Amino acid sequence: MKLILAIVSGEDSNAVTRSLNENGYFVTKLSTTGSFLAKGNSTLIIGCEEDKVDKAIELIGAEAKTRTETIVPGASFDVVIPSFTTAEVRVGGATIFVLDVEKFIKL
Ligand code: 2BA
């Protein structure tokens, strides 16, 4: 069994989870925050068999859109840019980690 951790934009998370549910995946959605932009995103926890991982990634990719976000001065403590200027970053459709699961139990 595998554990997929997928970080998607908050705007895409409902469409992504709906698509995964419709295709038989169990999903837990966490409200998270990216450190760089300090904006809300969603981290999806998806446990599934190894042969279902590629399909899950395909479904996530179909609903999670790549977009450009603007960094506003002062919005993040981690970003050092001159005052009164903004910068644009390209935010990926999804950032995905796939981990091995040692044990899976439902009581
Ligand atoms: P944020 O940390 O808010 O990052 C938003 C976007 O800012 C990133 O998009 C990337 O384009 C840029 N960025 C982030 N950190 C950077 C850095 N140190 N230097 C230069 N540019 C940087 P994505 O790469 O698509 O990431 C979207 C969100 O996915 C991130 O939001 C973060 O919440 C998560 N993420 C991405 N890579 C990660 C990783 N290796 N580990 C944990 N979380 C990650």
Side-chain angles (χ1 to χ4, degrees):
M1 186 172 203
K2 297 285 185 181
L3 182 70
I4 303 171
L5 294 178
I7 304 166
V8 300
S9 160
E11 294 163 43
D12 295 332
S13 65
N14 284 345
V16 172
T17 52
R18 190 182 312 117
S19 173
L20 289 166
N21 285 158
E22 284 172 0
N23 284 275
Y25 292 89
F26 288 72
V27 183
T28 296
K29 184 164 78 172
L30 305 175
S31 293
T32 47
T33 306
S35 64
F36 198 71
L37 296 177
K39 286 185 70 170
N41 52 29
S42 294
T43 299
L44 309 180
I45 302 174
I46 307 149
C48 67
E49 293 308 320
E50 189 166 3
D51 61 357
K52 302 262 178 60
V53 169
D54 288 344
K55 176 71 176 174
I57 292 170
E58 185 185 312
L59 293 168
I60 295 165
E63 299 294 343
K65 309 287 184 298
T66 300
R67 53 173 58 81
T68 301
E69 300 276 0
T70 303
I71 303 173
V72 178
S76 169
F77 295 109
D78 300 328
V79 183
V80 180
I81 54 177
S83 299
F84 309 116
T85 63
T86 59
E88 300 219 313
V89 289
R90 190 168 175 274
V91 182
T95 299
I96 299 174
F97 302 88
V98 181
L99 295 81
D100 289 325
V101 174
E102 192 172 321
K103 201 181 276 188
F104 172 64
I105 303 164
K106 279 190 179 182
L107 298 177

